[in-house]
Amino acid sequence: MTGSAIAAIDMALWDIKGKALNAPVYQLLGGLAREKVRLYGHVTGHSAEEIAANAKKLAAKGVTAIRYRGFHDMDDIDLHDHKRAVRQQIEYTEAIRAAVGDDVDLILECHGRYDPDFAVMLAEGVAKFKPLYIEDPIRHENPQALNRYRQHTNIPLATGERGHNKYDFRELVIDGHVDYLRPDVCWCGGITEIKKIAAFAEVYNINVVPHNNWGPLGTSASVHISLAIPNITLMEGFWADSAKPTDIVSPWPQIVDGYAYPPVGPGLGIEFNEEIAASYPQKPTRVLPKLNGIDGSVRDW
């Protein structure tokens, strides 16, 4: 909560300064490091056939990186079972790879649900399908536990969305636990802090794939930092196949073939419509599963 509060103030100040200077935030950060930023989209499904069909539709719209996970059906019954989840993710990976071919990068999301040994089983099972990386295979509290994973697979590893400031990333970077860092600009302290995290990672030749928690203001900030920071590989874009997923802000970044182009306009390049926002009552849009193991033990979401 503290990281998010700081992030809100930080992003507002960058927006204010950009508007005062009539310059986009990415220019204040040093200018464009790239002309466009690659996005990865999301697909879901309750069967291998369903998720593969959804992935094929997304790839047909020009998206070249797809993130997915298994165990959606277990979410519906608030259950997590390691063996079942591993089998399902391997099955889904095989189906998606067959549907989209070898030119689309696959990203396996695990939500930190696995114990290390089961994360290794998953990595061994999907290795032949050559995923871009596996994300959050185990819980984040002890970065050294990632060594058990890295000793058994060459598949790249990504984690970091639960980091709330630059200090949370220290061990991940200096001990070489990950290949990609995943800070979220809305959770880790804002644009100022994520720029420091990325610069720290750059020294160790670690790239960054910003997590994006879907809000329209955070999304705009994510686009700006992804355009300006040199060691960003791609960013999370749940809207990668959508020209404008919300009318609360405008204009929305231009999306072409799975890439976001620089926003036009000063500051964050968008205006927030408070009247339209007020027309959406504040209520939970989804309730996260309260997961248990088969034996009734509590599992992490």
Side-chain angles (χ1 to χ4, degrees):
M1 293 174 65
T2 302
S4 296
I6 294 171
I9 295 169
D10 180 81
M11 289 188 290
L13 292 174
W14 279 103
D15 188 45
I16 290 168
K17 177 164 281 191
K19 286 179 167 61
L21 298 175
N22 195 31
V25 166
Y26 64 77
Q27 292 288 14
L28 303 183
L29 294 171
L32 291 174
R34 55 190 53 82
E35 296 178 350
K36 56 187 178 181
V37 57
R38 187 185 180 205
L39 307 174
Y40 73 79
H42 293 184
V43 292
T44 60
H46 284 72
S47 69
E49 294 76 17
E50 180 185 7
I51 204 167
N54 291 336
K56 189 171 184 178
K57 291 177 185 176
L58 190 60
K61 295 182 178 180
V63 178
T64 61
I66 295 176
R67 170 266 198 195
Y68 61 95
R69 62 178 176 86
F71 40 78
H72 295 287
D73 56 339
M74 287 193 285
D75 287 355
D76 295 340
I77 57 175
D78 292 333
L79 173 71
H80 178 77
D81 175 59
H82 289 309
K83 289 183 179 179
R84 181 174 167 182
V86 168
R87 287 196 302 267
Q88 195 171 65
Q89 283 207 284
I90 294 172
E91 179 187 9
Y92 281 19
T93 301
E94 181 176 15
I96 293 172
R97 176 58 79 204
V100 303
D102 293 332
D103 293 333
V104 175
D105 282 323
L106 304 186
I107 298 169
L108 276 74
E109 164 68 280
C110 300
H111 269 237
R113 294 195 190 181
Y114 292 117
D115 291 343
D117 291 342
F118 287 94
V120 171
M121 290 182 197
L122 174 65
E124 290 174 343
V126 300
K128 62 183 177 181
F129 305 113
K130 295 180 170 54
L132 179 63
Y133 60 77
I134 293 180
E135 181 179 338
D136 291 332
I138 65 174
R139 290 176 62 175
H140 72 288
E141 289 90 348
N142 181 7
Q144 290 185 347
L146 292 169
N147 284 338
R148 290 170 64 183
Y149 166 89
R150 292 180 71 78
Q151 289 170 1
H152 291 89
T153 181
N154 292 321
I155 298 176
L157 173 65
T159 194
E161 68 184 68
R162 301 188 193 189
H164 300 135
N165 55 57
K166 55 184 170 290
Y167 304 106
D168 285 347
F169 293 86
R170 179 182 180 276
E171 286 182 80
L172 290 171
V173 173
I174 65 173
D175 292 336
H177 294 310
V178 297
D179 302 279
Y180 298 98
L181 288 186
R182 303 274 290 117
D184 187 305
V185 70
C186 291
W187 297 343
C188 76
I191 294 170
T192 302
E193 192 77 349
I194 204 170
K195 192 173 188 297
K196 294 177 182 179
I197 293 167
F200 177 41
E202 186 180 12
V203 174
Y204 289 82
N205 293 318
I206 294 174
N207 278 11
V208 176
V209 180
H211 181 270
N212 179 10
N213 65 14
W214 299 19
L217 296 173
T219 292
S220 180
S222 295
V223 171
H224 279 271
I225 60 103
S226 295
L227 287 164
I229 293 175
N231 58 321
I232 283 183
T233 300
L234 68 167
M235 68 164 275
E236 184 169 10
F238 67 97
W239 37 268
D241 61 336
S242 175
K244 187 181 180 184
T246 178
D247 53 1
I248 294 175
V249 300
S250 62
W252 195 257
Q254 180 187 13
I255 311 298
V256 180
D257 291 335
Y259 284 82
Y261 284 75
V264 177
L268 291 176
I270 56 173
E271 295 296 333
F272 184 78
N273 191 315
E274 295 187 23
E275 292 184 4
I276 294 177
S279 69
Y280 291 89
Q282 185 178 4
K283 59 181 181 180
T285 56
R286 62 190 288 225
V287 177
L288 297 180
K290 298 175 177 63
L291 299 178
N292 293 302
I294 290 177
D295 60 359
S297 59
V298 176
R299 303 300 309 182
D300 190 13
W301 152 246

